[in-house]
Amino acid sequence: MNKDQIEAFGDLVSRADRILIISHIRPDGDAVGSTLGLGLILEELGKDVSLVLEDGVPKVFNHLTGSDRIIREAIGVFDLVIVVDCSDIERIGSVLDEFGEPDVNIDHHPTNTHFAKLNLVRDDAVATAEIIFDLAQELAFPLNLPIAEALLTGLLTDSLGFRTSNSNPQTLRIAAELMEIGANLPFLYRKAMLEKSIQAVKYWGQGLSRIQMEDRLVWTSLTLEDRIAADYPGRDDADLINVLARIKETDISIVFVEQKNGSVKVSWRSRPGFDVSSIATQFGGGGHKPAAGADIKGDLDRVQKEVLEATRKSLQKSE
Ligand code: 5GP
Ligand code: MN
């Protein structure tokens, strides 16, 4: 992302009145925080802003001011379409089907496919929220408390509370600036990262009861039946992957989540020195070296078998 691109983004924003901001399906804290943070910034600039996430806002982010502004469908005509925190166009879902090529893509995934007319992609950023913060600084866009809370939530969740290996002094400087605006870090941390519903923990229990380990690889699955048994409302893994990733005897952990449409959502995590994004891209997914995911067509048994095979191969190569 160079100066010209930042200027080009500023020009696009200044010329637009109706702006659509969208992010990926199964949104995480950075998807919600970046959509909301940028949306509120542009609104402060007097723009008519629509915020759309096809899967809506997960309940764990309901405390963010403005989160109720995020809807599930893009309605109307827009002068500018911005996609945030999304590495490829498929991951948006069907929101953009009628709108064609997006104008701007703001993202930090190394696997980003540069699918928009203007691609503001920086893979050194811990979160897309960090890029949005930097753009706001460069272009003298306004920040206020709800914006700071949204951006800090993106920074916190993607860095897993500042403990991913890419967390650095600048991450903490930005967090400090957002706190100075008034964002309550302990509160946001607890809401987005610690608190779990009883359903989510029961759902973890289903997965944990079937956990498997082989050499330095650990995995488990969550079936549609598990979801019903636990009465868990989401179609994600309730963050079970980050529980598995804490097992010290492993290099790579995987969670397979069975989906209603005959596909399986796979999440990988790895220790430094292992690259799971390259495995995820083999299956049409993406992400970062230590954390990646993919949506894979097929039934649970088959997907599990194929993914485990590819992951074992990758582990052998890394040794
Ligand atoms: P998670 O496993 O928590 O869903 O995602 C881990 C990382 O991989 C995140 O950076 C996320 O954006 C990325 N990721 C997860 N699923 C997909 C996918 O289906 N496609 C792509 N391109 N990236 C994904
Ligand atoms: Mn992100």
Side-chain angles (χ1 to χ4, degrees):
M1 190 170 92
N2 56 39
K3 282 255 176 241
D4 289 349
Q5 288 179 307
I6 297 171
E7 236 171 69
F9 177 65
D11 285 346
L12 285 173
V13 167
S14 66
R15 284 203 303 269
D17 288 320
R18 289 154 304 181
I19 303 178
L20 172 65
I21 306 174
I22 52 183
S23 187
H24 58 80
I25 53 169
R26 272 188 297 268
D28 55 14
D30 196 24
V32 174
S34 296
T35 302
L36 189 55
L38 181 61
L40 296 176
I41 289 172
L42 298 182
E43 204 163 66
E44 279 290 302
L45 291 173
K47 308 295 175 182
D48 177 358
V49 183
S50 287
L51 309 178
V52 177
L53 294 172
E54 183 165 302
D55 286 335
V57 178
K59 277 200 190 113
V60 293
F61 304 117
N62 277 353
H63 58 282
L64 293 175
T65 305
S67 59
D68 55 346
R69 294 273 318 275
I70 299 179
I71 53 175
R72 299 173 74 140
E73 233 182 312
I75 306 159
V77 182
F78 304 97
D79 312 318
L80 185 63
V81 175
I82 306 173
V83 182
V84 296
D85 196 43
C86 192
S87 57
D88 56 74
I89 199 114
E90 286 76 31
R91 250 195 128 213
I92 299 169
S94 52
V95 174
L96 274 194
D97 287 359
E98 296 159 39
F99 296 93
E101 190 184 19
D103 299 296
V104 185
N105 161 20
I106 306 177
D107 186 37
H108 70 127
H109 292 93
T111 54
N112 192 287
T113 58
H114 293 241
F115 54 81
K117 290 175 197 151
L118 176 65
N119 299 285
L120 304 173
V121 179
R122 249 184 55 199
D123 64 14
D124 64 311
V126 169
T128 300
E130 175 179 340
I131 307 175
I132 291 170
F133 177 87
D134 289 345
L135 284 170
Q137 301 291 96
E138 292 277 347
L139 295 165
F141 286 169
L143 296 176
N144 59 27
L145 180 56
I147 295 167
E149 288 171 339
L151 296 182
L152 187 52
T153 295
L155 207 57
L156 263 176
T157 51
D158 261 25
S159 68
L160 300 177
F162 308 125
R163 56 188 183 78
T164 51
S165 55
N166 58 354
S167 301
N168 62 71
Q170 185 58 11
T171 324
L172 295 176
R173 270 184 217 112
I174 295 174
E177 288 204 32
L178 296 171
M179 287 176 80
E180 268 161 4
I181 296 169
N184 183 337
L185 180 121
F187 170 77
L188 295 172
Y189 191 113
R190 179 164 58 80
K191 281 290 181 193
M193 309 207 37
L194 283 182
E195 281 183 1
K196 292 286 164 198
S197 66
I198 183 72
Q199 289 93 343
V201 176
K202 283 185 177 167
Y203 188 45
W204 282 0
Q206 306 279 343
L208 289 174
S209 69
R210 275 196 305 275
I211 195 162
Q212 296 194 64
M213 187 159 164
E214 180 195 287
D215 301 326
R216 306 279 304 169
L217 181 62
V218 68
W219 72 92
T220 195
S221 57
L222 290 162
T223 63
L224 289 170
E225 256 177 48
D226 293 334
R227 204 190 290 179
I228 295 165
D231 199 19
Y232 182 69
R235 56 190 183 109
D236 52 30
D237 71 341
D239 219 19
L240 176 62
I241 187 63
N242 288 321
V243 179
L244 259 58
R246 291 164 66 168
I247 300 173
K248 68 176 181 190
E249 290 84 2
T250 67
D251 291 322
I252 297 183
S253 37
I254 315 175
V255 172
F256 299 90
V257 187
E258 188 179 27
Q259 303 291 320
K260 274 189 187 143
N261 62 357
S263 72
V264 179
K265 168 67 207 291
V266 184
S267 286
W268 288 263
R269 296 290 183 272
S270 67
R271 255 172 230 301
F274 297 86
D275 175 10
V276 285
S277 70
S278 63
I279 314 173
T281 45
Q282 286 172 39
F283 291 96
H288 311 271
K289 282 185 182 175
D295 252 311
I296 306 175
K297 283 262 165 263
D299 65 60
L300 187 58
D301 284 344
R302 210 198 75 212
V303 170
Q304 194 162 308
K305 193 163 162 277
E306 285 176 9
V307 165
L308 287 172
E309 222 169 82
T311 308
R312 281 188 198 104
K313 269 197 198 137
S314 162
L315 261 174
Q316 280 159 7
K317 263 196 268 163
S318 319
E319 276 163 9

